[in-house]
Amino acid sequence: MSATMPPPQKQKQAADPGSVERFAADLTALAGPDWHDKRYGVAVSGGPDSMALLWLVASLLPGQVWAATVDHKLRRGSADEARMVAGYCAREHVPHAILHPAAPIAGSLQAAARTERYRLLEQWREAQALDHILTAHHADDQLETMIMRLNRSSGVGGLAGVRASNGAVLRPLLHWRRDELAGLALDADLPIAQDPSNADIRFDRARLRHALQAQLFLDPQAAARSAQWLGEADAALDWAVGAAIATWPDADDPSVIRDRDYPDEIFRRIVERRLRANDPRLGLRGDTLGGVIAAMRAGRRAMVGELLIDAVKGSGKDFWRILAAPRRKARL
C-alpha cells in the first residue's frame, strides 16, 4: 500500500523565484517563444517529481494549467493517491481529472500500462483543447533509461533515451535531478505519495535505481546532455535517410528499396523506413533487422511479418521490392 503524506497545516509557501525562472527557461526551449500563451496539461501521479512539476507550472502560468492522474487500478492505494492529487488541485483551483483504462491491463505490465497511460492522456488533452502534456521525467530517469537500453544493445535512437519532445508531450525537467524536485516539493509543503512499485526489485528499473543510489561516478545531468545530443544525431540520420531516398527516380513508390553504397546505419534506416511504410506495425531493430539486410545482400528473399523483400532481377544487388508474402496453404 502506498504512503500518502499530507503537508503540515501552515501558510502556503510562496513560489521560489529561482526555480520558477529556471523552469520557465526549460519550458521556453521546448514549447517555443509563445509558450506563455499556451494551455498545458500535467500528468500527475502524486509522487514528488510530478507534484513538483505541477507546482512549477501552476506558479508560472496560473489559469493555464490542467492536471490528470491515470489510475490503472493495478494496486491498492492508487485510488487514494488520485484523490490526494484531486484534493490538492481543488485547493489550488487547478482543474483535475482521474483517468481509468476501459479494460484491465494485459501483457507486459509496465509497458502496457505506459502505452495505455499516454493513450488516455492524449484523449484527455484533445477533449480539453490543451496544447501540450507535460510529464516529470528528470535526469535520473534519463540515466536509468540509457543504461537499460545500453544493456539491450540499443543504437543511437535507443541511447537517446527519453525524448524532451514527442508530439504533444513535453518533458521540461530532463536536466533536473530527482533530489532537487523532492526538495522543492518539501519546501513548498506539497502532499506526496510514494509508489511502492518504484522500490519493487522485481522490476528492472527498480533494481537499477537501487544500484545507482550507491554510486557517485555517473553524473545524471551529464548523461541527460549526452542523451540530448544523441537525439539530435538520431534526427540528423533520419534527415539524411529522407534526403537519400529523395534522389531515387521512384522515391514515391514505398515498395522500392535501393542501395547506393550507403553507410550501414543509413541503409538500415532506409530498410526500416520502407518496411514501416508498408506495415506500420513492424518494429524491426538490432539483430533482427541485421538478419534481413544480410539476406538481401546475399541475394536471398527476406520474409518480414506479412511482407517479402525480393531482389529485382537483372539489377545486381542494389535494388529490391517489398511485396505481400504469399499466403501459406492451410493443412488438410
Side-chain angles (χ1 to χ4, degrees):
M1 183 178 295
S2 62
T4 300
M5 294 174 282
Q9 296 299 313
K10 63 179 184 179
Q11 186 176 1
K12 178 183 173 182
Q13 295 290 313
D16 169 28
S19 294
V20 175
E21 288 176 8
R22 175 184 171 188
F23 177 75
D26 291 331
L27 187 59
T28 303
L30 296 181
D34 60 342
W35 62 272
H36 51 279
D37 294 325
K38 295 183 176 182
R39 292 155 53 95
Y40 297 91
V42 185
V44 188
S45 66
D49 308 335
S50 61
M51 290 300 295
L53 173 61
L54 176 60
W55 182 85
L56 284 166
V57 187
S59 298
L60 180 65
L61 295 167
Q64 295 170 239
V65 183
W66 284 250
T69 303
V70 178
D71 180 9
H72 294 290
K73 299 182 179 180
L74 293 175
R75 55 182 172 76
R76 296 176 61 190
S78 63
D80 291 337
E81 295 164 13
R83 284 192 291 269
M84 181 204 76
V85 177
Y88 173 80
C89 288
R91 292 193 298 274
E92 299 300 318
H93 307 290
V94 174
H96 177 263
I98 300 176
L99 311 178
H100 300 285
I105 299 297
S108 175
L109 194 62
Q110 289 196 320
R114 181 170 56 252
T115 299
E116 180 66 6
R117 178 163 60 252
Y118 282 109
R119 188 188 71 79
L120 289 169
L121 287 169
E122 176 59 18
Q123 278 187 345
W124 171 72
R125 183 190 72 83
E126 291 180 350
Q128 301 299 321
L130 305 177
D131 295 290
H132 296 289
I133 294 289
L134 306 183
T135 73
H137 293 86
H138 47 68
D140 295 85
D141 290 327
Q142 188 70 290
L143 176 61
E144 292 164 9
T145 299
M146 293 177 74
I147 293 175
M148 290 174 70
R149 293 184 178 176
L150 187 65
N151 283 340
R152 296 171 186 163
S153 303
S154 294
V156 173
L159 293 177
V162 181
R163 303 305 172 95
S165 176
N166 185 7
V169 177
L170 304 181
R171 300 180 175 99
L173 299 180
L174 285 177
H175 296 287
W176 295 59
R177 294 293 309 274
R178 177 182 288 119
D179 289 347
E180 289 181 294
L181 298 170
L184 192 155
L186 181 64
D187 290 344
D189 296 318
L190 305 179
I192 60 172
Q194 298 293 352
D195 181 350
S197 66
N198 288 333
D200 190 338
I201 59 173
R202 291 177 299 174
F203 298 115
D204 291 344
R205 185 176 289 272
R207 288 197 302 273
L208 177 59
R209 183 172 298 164
H210 179 73
L212 288 174
Q213 287 173 349
Q215 69 83 34
L216 299 175
F217 182 74
L218 295 173
D219 182 347
Q221 287 174 314
R225 290 192 291 273
S226 292
Q228 179 180 341
W229 294 329
L230 283 165
E232 292 173 1
D234 187 48
L237 286 166
D238 279 341
W239 179 89
V241 166
I245 292 175
T247 66
W248 299 352
D250 39 23
D252 294 334
D253 183 349
S255 72
V256 168
I257 299 175
R258 291 182 179 271
D259 185 7
R260 294 179 172 173
D261 293 322
Y262 298 120
D264 287 345
E265 179 62 17
I266 296 295
F267 189 62
R268 276 194 293 269
R269 289 173 183 245
I270 287 173
V271 174
E272 183 181 17
R273 182 178 295 193
R274 288 313 219 187
L275 287 169
R276 284 183 180 275
N278 285 270
D279 186 350
R281 298 169 298 175
L282 289 176
L284 291 180
R285 294 287 182 184
D287 292 341
T288 303
L289 182 58
V292 169
I293 291 172
M296 293 168 62
R297 286 179 165 164
R300 302 192 305 271
R301 289 182 168 186
M303 293 282 292
V304 186
E306 298 179 0
L307 301 175
L308 173 69
I309 302 178
D310 200 4
V312 175
K313 291 182 179 180
S315 64
K317 295 183 178 179
D318 59 2
F319 186 18
W320 299 263
R321 283 197 179 275
I322 301 173
L323 311 168
R327 293 187 177 181
R328 296 174 182 173
K329 294 181 179 180
R331 293 183 180 180
L332 299 178

